Amino acid sequence: MLSLFQQHLQTQFPFLVQAKLLVACSGGLDSVVLLQLCKSANLAVAVAHCNFQLRGLESIQDQQFVQELCANLNLPFHTTHFDTKAYAQAAKCSTQMAARDLRYDWFAELAQEFQYDYILTAHHADDALETFLINLSRGTGLDGLVGIPSVNEYIVRPLLQFSREQLYAYALEQGYAWREDSSNASDVYLRNAIRHHIVPQLKTIQPTILQAFLNTQSHLQNSQSLVQDALDLAYEYVVTELPDRLQIDLDKLLKYENYNAYMYGWLNDYGFSAWEDVYKLVYAQSGKKVLSSNFTLLKDRTTLLLYANESERGEDVYSISEKTTEITTPICLQFSKQSTAKNNSKSVIFVDADLLQFPLVLRRWKTADVIYPAGMKGQSKKLSKFFKDEKWAQIDKENVWLLYSNDQIVWVVGHRQDERFVPTHQTKNKIQISYIP
């Protein structure tokens, strides 16, 4: 198993070998095996463990187990705890989604503060198959079928080519101990029901189902890449981005035989549901429109115009001077040249003060905004694409505030910093910016 893992690193993830890595470890079989493999492969790793306080004493024992494991392996250890149920209630989301948001936000903060290059998670082939079946059962498009990506910005999943059976056999062979999550035995959650009943039946009927699935996912990912390339090329040709709207040239759009598919690919992130009405706008009279909860698509002679509804545009702009230490409107931000954040602090970034141009500006996002997400090593991304990749709900996108320096994004407040302002070893002056919800 170790030799296979090392070969996999060399062929698929050579960038990990010299990188500073953070391994997410729950204490379960999968993450313990990942941690042990990384240690045996001489990778530079530290460990992060989240206590979601969902299983009482078990959660405490999980944390103690991982802490002792790190001590035995002589590895740096980070831990934090969350009131997951309270967060889920406030965010009006499931406990599972709340835990996901909390842990990935915290991982991002650790990566920024301690300059970890990548975060490793222990998702494996069985996880990918379960996710595929969940999405298939709920109804999904190509995006939902391509599964868990092996690399998503700075999140890396190096075990996706390995089965749960392989990990279990290796752990037994090496004599590793791990923790069992009692909630995994319940069929209350859809994933567990699929794991306990559907997947075993598939493996009985078709013993090579897992490898066949991995091959299928590879084909689907290649197909998705082709689709996205086509969407991007057509977008550059057909769509013009203006400061407050998108403008779709209908003469150019109609040169594409399957123009409906292109419209869906470009507009499905804006909350529209009446797609037949959207498609009919192409041939409608000037002045006709279709509304989503937050956006309007308007037929204007030979173009379609997409813009935010008046009540949702959020045109208010707030200026922040260099001497400011705190603002409370429209949100609470604190600025300090002294680092007061703890390792498990949330909603805090550190920026290179010498790169900032004052006054800073706090405002809503616009369609033309571009971010260089921290961890992507200088790669730019349209902010709308960033929201889509992060699977933000429309209401979340409209409520978020962004901090700018000279019209460059510094921070999607409370979520992601821009790489351009992240301190380096050469940074002389650093500012801590804290968001107080």
Side-chain angles (χ1 to χ4, degrees):
M1 177 73 186
L2 177 59
S3 62
L4 290 175
F5 179 72
Q6 290 174 315
Q7 291 172 15
H8 190 49
L9 290 180
Q10 293 171 2
T11 57
Q12 300 298 321
F13 309 103
F15 52 87
L16 295 181
V17 176
Q18 300 299 325
K20 185 178 179 182
L21 308 175
L22 182 67
V23 175
C25 185
S26 66
L29 168 68
D30 311 334
S31 58
V32 167
V33 170
L34 173 61
L35 180 58
Q36 294 282 6
L37 286 170
C38 289
K39 175 68 174 180
S40 298
N42 296 316
L43 299 181
V45 297
V47 177
H49 174 82
C50 302
N51 182 344
F52 296 106
Q53 301 188 101
L54 294 173
R55 293 179 291 112
L57 180 60
E58 278 190 42
S59 294
I60 297 173
Q61 291 172 336
D62 289 347
Q63 178 179 328
Q64 293 173 340
F65 171 81
V66 177
Q67 187 168 3
E68 291 173 4
L69 177 61
C70 291
N72 292 334
L73 296 176
N74 195 28
L75 295 175
F77 175 68
H78 306 279
T79 188
T80 190
H81 61 272
F82 302 110
D83 189 344
T84 310
K85 290 184 178 179
Y87 179 92
Q89 184 176 7
K92 297 181 179 179
C93 64
S94 68
T95 304
Q96 293 78 13
M97 185 58 67
R100 180 191 182 280
D101 291 345
L102 288 167
R103 67 175 174 264
Y104 279 110
D105 285 348
W106 181 57
F107 293 161
E109 291 171 7
L110 288 176
Q112 174 189 318
E113 184 172 354
F114 295 94
Q115 297 187 353
Y116 294 116
D117 298 308
Y118 299 98
I119 296 165
L120 307 189
T121 69
H123 294 90
H124 48 69
D126 289 80
D127 290 325
L129 177 58
E130 292 161 9
T131 299
F132 175 89
L133 293 172
I134 289 170
N135 292 339
L136 185 66
S137 70
R138 290 171 173 168
T140 186
L142 186 56
D143 286 349
L145 296 179
V146 295
I148 306 170
S150 59
V151 180
N152 184 13
E153 297 183 11
Y154 58 88
I155 304 295
V156 181
R157 303 175 175 94
L159 295 183
L160 280 177
Q161 293 300 309
F162 300 96
S163 68
R164 180 180 287 114
E165 184 179 355
Q166 286 177 288
L167 303 184
Y168 179 72
Y170 182 69
L172 289 182
E173 174 189 305
Q174 298 297 315
Y176 296 148
W178 65 86
R179 296 279 298 170
E180 292 288 355
D181 185 340
S182 61
S183 66
N184 287 337
S186 171
D187 287 345
V188 172
Y189 303 118
L190 177 58
R191 179 177 294 275
N192 285 355
I194 288 175
R195 176 179 300 169
H196 298 154
H197 305 290
I198 306 300
V199 173
Q201 286 293 322
L202 288 173
K203 289 181 177 180
T204 299
I205 297 169
Q206 175 55 275
T208 60
I209 183 66
L210 205 54
Q211 186 56 53
F213 162 72
L214 292 176
N215 293 338
T216 297
Q217 281 228 307
S218 178
H219 298 321
L220 288 172
Q221 288 164 0
N222 290 335
S223 297
Q224 184 192 43
S225 179
L226 290 174
V227 169
Q228 191 60 53
D229 287 345
L231 284 172
D232 290 344
L233 285 172
Y235 184 93
E236 295 296 328
Y237 176 62
V238 176
V239 182
T240 300
E241 294 186 351
L242 301 174
D244 61 346
R245 71 193 68 185
L246 295 182
Q247 180 173 292
I248 300 173
D249 187 313
L250 292 178
D251 291 335
K252 293 180 178 178
L253 175 67
L254 291 174
K255 291 181 180 179
Y256 295 90
E257 181 177 356
N258 193 14
Y259 67 86
N260 287 0
Y262 288 94
M263 293 180 69
Y264 181 85
W266 299 331
L267 301 176
N268 67 353
D269 196 37
Y270 292 92
F272 294 103
S273 58
W275 286 102
E276 288 304 317
D277 292 337
V278 169
Y279 303 145
K280 289 177 182 178
L281 276 184
V282 172
Y283 294 106
Q285 291 181 345
S286 186
K288 293 288 186 179
K289 63 178 67 173
V290 177
L291 281 71
S292 70
S293 58
N294 298 317
F295 289 89
T296 296
L297 187 64
L298 170 70
K299 173 68 176 294
D300 182 25
R301 298 183 182 181
T302 60
T303 63
L304 295 179
L305 301 178
L306 176 73
Y307 53 88
N309 299 336
E310 289 293 339
S311 61
E312 300 294 336
R313 291 196 185 187
E315 293 293 340
D316 291 341
V317 175
Y318 298 84
S319 180
I320 302 171
S321 71
E322 188 171 4
K323 295 182 179 180
T324 299
T325 59
E326 183 178 53
I327 64 169
T328 56
T329 303
I331 58 176
C332 184
L333 292 179
Q334 295 176 346
F335 301 79
S336 173
K337 294 184 179 179
Q338 303 296 322
S339 175
T340 59
K342 299 179 181 179
N343 290 354
N344 63 348
S345 63
K346 288 188 62 66
S347 302
V348 175
I349 65 169
F350 300 89
V351 299
D352 189 327
D354 296 328
L355 297 179
L356 297 177
Q357 295 187 38
F358 288 88
L360 304 180
V361 170
L362 192 68
R363 65 166 171 82
R364 301 293 191 181
W365 73 284
K366 297 181 179 179
T367 56
D369 284 338
V370 173
I371 187 172
Y372 290 72
M376 288 189 63
K377 309 303 179 184
Q379 299 179 42
S380 66
K381 179 179 288 193
K382 292 178 182 176
L383 195 57
S384 57
K385 180 68 163 57
F386 168 79
F387 290 150
K388 180 179 180 180
D389 291 346
E390 295 294 312
K391 302 185 185 305
W392 280 39
Q394 192 64 44
I395 191 171
D396 295 328
K397 291 184 287 187
E398 293 311 314
N399 288 334
V400 73
W401 287 93
L402 286 87
L403 185 67
Y404 295 78
S405 169
N406 193 30
D407 213 35
Q408 293 181 329
I409 294 175
V410 177
W411 190 17
V412 180
V413 177
H415 297 279
R416 182 65 62 82
Q417 184 177 5
D418 193 293
E419 180 76 30
R420 292 170 290 186
F421 296 91
V422 173
T424 67
H425 294 299
Q426 287 74 43
T427 297
K428 296 181 180 178
N429 299 302
K430 187 165 62 173
I431 290 179
Q432 175 184 313
I433 307 177
S434 305
Y435 168 51
I436 312 301

